[in-house]
Amino acid sequence: MRIRPATAAELPALQDVERAAGLPFRDLGMPEIADDEPPALAVLERYRGAGRCWVAVDERDDPVAYLVAEPVDGALHIEQVSVHPRTARRGVGRALLAYAADRAREEGLAALTLTTFAEVPWNAPYYARLGFRTLTEAELTPGLREIRATEAEHGLDRWPRVCMRAPL
């Protein structure tokens, strides 16, 4: 599995990955997440243009997973990581996170952060196995508080969510 920066031409394929990755949420009683639209092309392009949109590609060099991130309060915040279900459980997400961690170290950032669903097996429990720790409310940085407030405005707090951090 190779990881590299996404190209502009691949951004629609990333939306397809996102749609497919969302489908398993339906089985957990979270149809709103399953039906949620992927990030707009302009949003993905903003991450790509900043050099923070990476893809895992198959043997044909087609994206099967992606990760977008941005610096927030001295850490690289993982805004989204999505793996197509046909390539799930093969270490692709782990490889993308390791790649992002390497890029964060190169930038002198101290950690990776993310927000995620607390009770979805492939969310918080998965990230905990990879070395992420759930932050307490008192540990949230101003940027993470802002991200969580935006998520709440979008209705994501209907299900328990947490902020997590992995030191680099």
Side-chain angles (χ1 to χ4, degrees):
M1 187 68 46
R2 191 165 69 92
I3 298 172
R4 60 169 173 74
T7 67
E10 292 171 328
L11 298 182
L14 303 189
Q15 291 178 314
D16 293 341
V17 167
E18 182 71 21
R19 286 183 189 99
L23 293 178
F25 284 91
R26 188 174 311 287
D27 295 336
L28 295 179
M30 301 169 76
E32 298 87 346
I33 302 302
D35 295 337
D36 193 37
E37 280 299 307
L41 292 176
V43 171
L44 292 171
E45 175 56 31
R46 182 176 59 82
Y47 287 107
R48 192 195 70 78
R52 293 193 181 91
C53 179
W54 302 295
V55 293
V57 295
D58 63 14
E59 63 281 349
R60 294 180 315 266
D61 203 41
D62 293 328
V64 296
Y66 78 98
L67 184 150
V68 294
E70 64 185 344
V72 174
D73 299 333
L76 185 64
H77 184 73
I78 308 302
E79 182 59 36
Q80 184 66 40
V81 59
S82 293
V83 177
H84 196 288
R86 73 174 174 260
T87 55
R89 301 192 197 306
R90 297 183 192 169
V92 178
R94 179 186 306 258
L96 276 167
L97 288 164
Y99 188 90
D102 288 344
R103 302 297 71 77
R105 282 186 201 93
E106 289 171 1
E107 291 186 41
L109 299 171
L112 295 180
T113 61
L114 54 83
T115 61
T116 192
F117 294 110
E119 298 170 359
V120 172
W122 59 88
N123 280 192
Y126 169 75
Y127 295 120
R129 289 191 302 274
L130 297 182
F132 283 81
R133 179 180 64 79
T134 299
L135 298 174
T136 66
E137 186 68 26
E139 293 174 302
L140 298 184
T141 64
L144 290 176
R145 287 180 194 283
E146 185 177 325
I147 289 166
R148 286 291 296 119
T150 300
E151 290 177 348
E153 288 172 13
H154 289 122
L156 292 178
D157 281 2
R158 178 173 172 193
W159 305 277
R161 286 191 62 82
V162 293
C163 289
M164 301 183 82
R165 184 178 196 275
L168 298 177

